[in-house]
Amino acid sequence: AITDYSAVFTKRLQRIGIKMTEVVKLNVGGQAYQVTRSFLALHPQTMLAKSASKQWQKNPESEVFIDRDGEMFRHVLSYLRDGRVDLPVTVAKKGLLLELAFYGVEGVDEANIDDSLVKGPQTAHAKVYMDEVCASLEQISD
């Protein structure tokens, strides 16, 4: 028999008083994010869930401010949502691992953080291009 896990999860959330559609507003380093309380309930050990829960109890309409890198946060959310993330050239795996640790994400599987673009041929091409730009700028300034 196939178990409908979404129905089981929904019933558990309802039992503790969380509706699937309740939205938590986050402001991370000046960037606005919105996540459902049900999503945060999937990650109760994280600083996100704990912060949002405390703030929610005070005022459900308020925004939770987190003084961290707002750009990096989207990769944290991707990892939490999907259990994996593909990093762009501009993001170092080590940086994401530090952010995941800050947010209290446990059991991070580094193999599911793909930074192959950072190590791939695009990086080599970007370095050559930047070297050419720098050389051109040096000629202009001389």
Side-chain angles (χ1 to χ4, degrees):
I2 297 175
T3 303
D4 182 358
Y5 289 105
S6 64
V8 172
F9 180 65
T10 301
K11 285 180 185 176
R12 285 184 185 165
L13 289 174
Q14 289 171 343
R15 203 174 324 129
I16 59 173
I18 296 176
K19 295 178 184 163
M20 292 289 285
T21 57
E22 291 178 338
V23 173
V24 175
K25 297 171 189 164
L26 302 170
N27 177 340
V28 183
Q31 295 210 358
Y33 290 91
Q34 293 184 351
V35 296
T36 60
R37 287 192 72 214
S38 58
F39 170 74
L40 293 178
L42 291 171
H43 308 283
Q45 82 287 359
T46 64
M47 180 273 282
L48 289 172
K50 292 172 186 172
S51 296
S53 178
K54 289 176 189 173
Q55 186 69 28
W56 187 271
Q57 291 169 0
K58 292 178 187 174
N59 180 359
E61 294 302 313
S62 69
E63 186 176 78
V64 177
F65 178 76
I66 302 170
D67 192 11
R68 297 297 282 190
D69 182 343
E71 291 289 324
M72 183 69 83
F73 186 68
R74 69 186 178 114
H75 304 297
V76 171
L77 283 180
S78 290
Y79 185 83
L80 288 172
R81 285 183 177 126
D82 304 325
R84 62 166 281 102
V85 65
D86 297 316
L87 296 177
V89 174
T90 56
V91 176
K93 185 176 193 173
K94 185 176 181 180
L96 179 59
L97 290 171
L98 289 171
E99 289 298 295
L100 290 168
F102 172 82
Y103 289 108
V105 179
E106 298 172 351
V108 174
D109 184 354
E110 289 189 40
N112 287 333
I113 300 174
D114 185 357
D115 64 344
S116 61
L117 288 178
V118 174
K119 298 174 183 170
Q122 296 90 338
T123 305
H125 292 296
K127 183 181 180 334
V128 169
Y129 175 74
M130 290 306 295
D131 288 344
E132 290 172 0
V133 169
C134 289
S136 296
L137 289 173
E138 286 174 6
Q139 289 176 354
I140 293 171
S141 65
D142 289 338

